[in-house]
Amino acid sequence: MKQRKNSLEERSPAFTFGSGKQGRTLFCDQLPAEQLARRYGTPLFVYSATALRRHVDLFARAFAAQQHTVCYSVKANSNLSLLRLLASLGCGFDVVSGGELQRVMQAGEKAAASAVFSGVGKTAAEMDLAIAAGILLFNLESASELDLLAQRAARLKKTARVSFRVNPDVKADTHPYISTGLRQHKFGVPINEAREFYRRAAALPYLDPIGVSVHIGSQITDTTPFAEAMQRVLSLVRDLSADGLNISFVDAGGGLGIHYQNASQAVTARDIRAYAKALCRPLRRTGLHLLIEPGRSIVAAAGVLLTRALYAKENHGKQFLIVDAAMNDLIRPALYGAHHEIVPATPRPATKDAPAMKMDIVGPICESGDFFARDREMPPVLGGDLLAILDSGAYGMSLSSNYNTRPRAAELLVDGKKVKQIRRRETFEDMIRNEQ
Ligand code: LLP
């Protein structure tokens, strides 16, 4: 198979065009997408182990000069096989529920020891599970959470390491639903009141305040707000040291964005280096251990959603392409107006009968919000053609649902020429299992 040469070697080797039996065709690692779709059906999520390794490696290189742990954010894609792979690459984990923590515990015997637990609403049962598992750090977000964790830890007679997630009041340019670092958001404790929270925590037995955390939002491509938030956090760490606390971890959260509009360079070494520079500069010579919680930048570009075109139709002069995937499989366009590049797996040349044209690419669900692209210029696509919705590895499957009683898609992990089904397609019986 000849891989198409890309202008920049930055391009992840995972999803590129090469020559196959029917001419130029999309490969997932070294396997033709068409072959995978025929064997496993559509809609189908396909992830590339090569791309995952590459992304983890980009982080390792960019952050090499700083003591750090990459705590992969499980919510982006929580498939057990992916978690296992990431654990084997040395990643820790960021979890936000007992369920996510249980997944991490299944992924590796020691994985929980490098897990951080974030989220504004941890329940007593979730706290108990995490205390017993001996997680690395609880990121607390309110006084009530502090009180409950103190109670639970005392009851279990086990010390819990804690940090407060501070709300730095830093603006980041992203979709309002996924911006989290402003005073009007529900997240964190106000940074200017944080010293008082730490004083309270330090006075409680079974709690060990050892970190400060921050997370300003997701899909942030400008690194300035990350640097700003870190500076504010570091200034708090200095105050806390003056108060006699021994802070050894700074958790910078996740949030680094990718370039959905430019899928051939969705994640570049340059981006990750710029991000590392923004976070690490304020940390220089502090001896602090940095935790980062990337989700999207690790898995988004390592996955595609393959979908079959069902029908083309025209309504009042507008072209629609109806595909077999829908908003229940990938809700990002419907929920955030998100852009995903969409390519035919085996592109056809444009002809007079089948020209390139603008179209809406939509799913079969009974809502006008069920679209993947609107007024998108596309090469010719006919019913039966296979399409790949790129950069769908993050917040695709993890946000999927059974809406319209549609079974959730299957998931594959490809590694070179090998393929493994890492989640089978749901059946009707799976969907009704818990109903009377
Ligand atoms: N840490 C915390 C505390 C978070 O809340 C999040 C994401 C992350 C880390 C990971 O952020 P990432 O590196 O993936 O940006 N469903 C939305 C994204 C929601 C993000 C929620 N929190 C989407 O599809 O764009």
Side-chain angles (χ1 to χ4, degrees):
M1 176 202 63
K2 259 195 269 150
Q3 290 276 322
R4 189 177 56 148
K5 264 257 176 287
N6 263 287
S7 49
L8 283 167
E9 83 232 47
E10 300 274 23
R11 169 70 162 133
S12 158
F15 304 103
T16 47
F17 285 94
S19 34
K21 275 190 205 127
Q22 269 97 36
R24 202 159 139 316
T25 197
L26 182 71
F27 282 79
C28 305
D29 271 22
Q30 293 177 40
L31 296 168
E34 291 277 4
Q35 185 187 312
L36 297 172
R38 269 197 297 271
R39 183 158 158 212
Y40 295 95
T42 51
L44 180 68
F45 282 99
V46 184
Y47 310 117
S48 155
T50 314
L52 284 171
R53 280 194 289 264
R54 171 178 176 266
H55 298 153
V56 171
D57 187 56
L58 290 181
F59 275 95
R61 283 167 196 268
F63 285 88
Q66 167 68 44
Q67 271 191 74
H68 75 281
T69 306
V70 172
C71 294
Y72 165 71
S73 192
V74 172
K75 65 173 81 65
N77 189 319
S78 53
N79 184 288
L80 281 177
S81 296
L82 299 193
L83 300 186
R84 238 174 257 133
L85 174 62
L86 291 167
S88 78
L89 298 174
C91 291
F93 297 96
D94 158 50
V95 301
V96 290
S97 69
E100 285 190 353
L101 178 57
Q102 281 178 287
R103 284 179 179 274
V104 166
M105 289 160 74
Q106 290 217 2
E109 230 176 90
K110 298 196 190 108
S114 53
V116 300
F117 197 160
S118 314
V120 292
K122 301 172 201 75
T123 64
E126 289 175 322
M127 288 177 179
D128 288 355
L129 177 72
I131 296 168
I135 64 162
L136 176 62
L137 195 61
F138 283 90
N139 289 333
L140 298 176
E141 304 214 18
S142 63
S144 326
E145 255 200 345
L146 170 68
D147 293 341
L148 183 59
L149 184 67
Q151 264 177 40
R152 305 313 298 185
R155 211 165 145 257
L156 293 168
K157 298 200 174 17
K158 219 173 150 194
T159 298
R161 286 174 289 271
V162 302
S163 90
F164 285 95
R165 171 170 172 181
V166 295
N167 186 322
D169 199 23
V170 166
K171 187 171 164 39
D173 186 21
T174 186
H175 191 280
Y177 290 3
I178 54 177
S179 168
T180 55
L182 283 174
R183 54 176 69 230
Q184 69 261 34
H185 296 137
K186 68 180 174 185
F187 299 100
V189 302
I191 193 160
N192 51 352
E193 296 164 30
R195 278 173 99 167
E196 189 45 42
F197 281 89
Y198 277 91
R199 237 171 264 145
R200 273 179 69 176
L204 289 162
Y206 295 106
L207 290 191
D208 190 6
I210 56 157
V212 177
S213 304
V214 72
H215 171 79
I216 55 173
S218 190
Q219 184 49 21
I220 299 165
T221 46
D222 170 16
T223 56
T224 321
F226 289 118
E228 236 176 85
M230 273 309 262
Q231 277 146 12
R232 293 188 192 180
V233 164
L234 261 289
S235 136
L236 171 63
V237 171
R238 282 190 290 274
D239 289 347
L240 295 174
S241 301
D243 293 346
L245 273 106
N246 198 356
I247 300 295
S248 43
F249 289 92
V250 162
D251 181 344
L256 179 65
I258 68 153
H259 307 290
Y260 285 102
Q261 306 270 356
N262 181 6
S264 66
Q265 287 186 59
V267 179
T268 69
R270 195 167 359 107
D271 294 330
I272 314 258
R273 278 198 300 265
Y275 177 59
K277 210 162 136 193
L279 297 186
C280 297
R281 194 172 273 165
L283 285 170
R284 248 187 243 155
R285 287 185 290 276
T286 59
L288 289 162
H289 188 107
L290 173 68
L291 304 173
I292 46 174
E293 305 170 357
R296 185 190 318 267
S297 48
I298 302 240
V299 282
V304 297
L305 173 58
L306 298 181
T307 179
R308 213 36 95 190
L310 297 172
Y311 312 106
K313 73 180 251 185
E314 193 184 311
N315 250 4
H316 302 293
K318 197 172 158 65
Q319 298 295 328
F320 290 91
L321 183 74
I322 298 152
V323 298
D324 68 358
M327 65 191 282
N328 74 299
D329 300 300
L330 176 67
I331 203 174
R332 302 196 67 258
L335 192 55
Y336 316 108
H339 177 97
H340 285 259
E341 286 293 312
I342 304 178
V343 296
T346 308
R348 308 171 170 276
T351 63
K352 235 169 97 212
D353 295 333
M357 60 171 112
K358 270 198 179 156
M359 59 181 78
D360 280 18
I361 300 177
V362 302
I365 283 182
C366 310
E367 292 204 25
S368 296
D370 181 25
F371 64 88
F372 293 115
R374 281 184 159 160
D375 288 324
R376 181 79 57 91
E377 186 71 32
M378 290 290 291
V381 197
L382 306 178
D385 285 1
L386 184 68
L387 296 172
I389 306 178
L390 304 182
D391 301 326
S392 303
Y395 306 110
M397 192 59 173
S398 61
L399 268 168
S400 68
S401 75
N402 288 129
Y403 189 38
N404 279 203
T405 308
R406 290 171 50 88
R408 254 174 286 223
E411 295 177 291
L412 306 181
L413 179 61
V414 293
D415 193 355
K417 285 193 159 72
K418 283 188 303 209
V419 56
K420 208 171 117 199
Q421 180 165 244
I422 57 173
R423 179 181 165 120
R424 66 167 172 74
R425 187 174 303 286
E426 256 172 351
T427 60
F428 176 67
E429 285 67 35
D430 291 332
M431 288 192 282
I432 58 163
R433 179 152 298 139
N434 298 321
E435 295 176 33
Q436 295 280 309

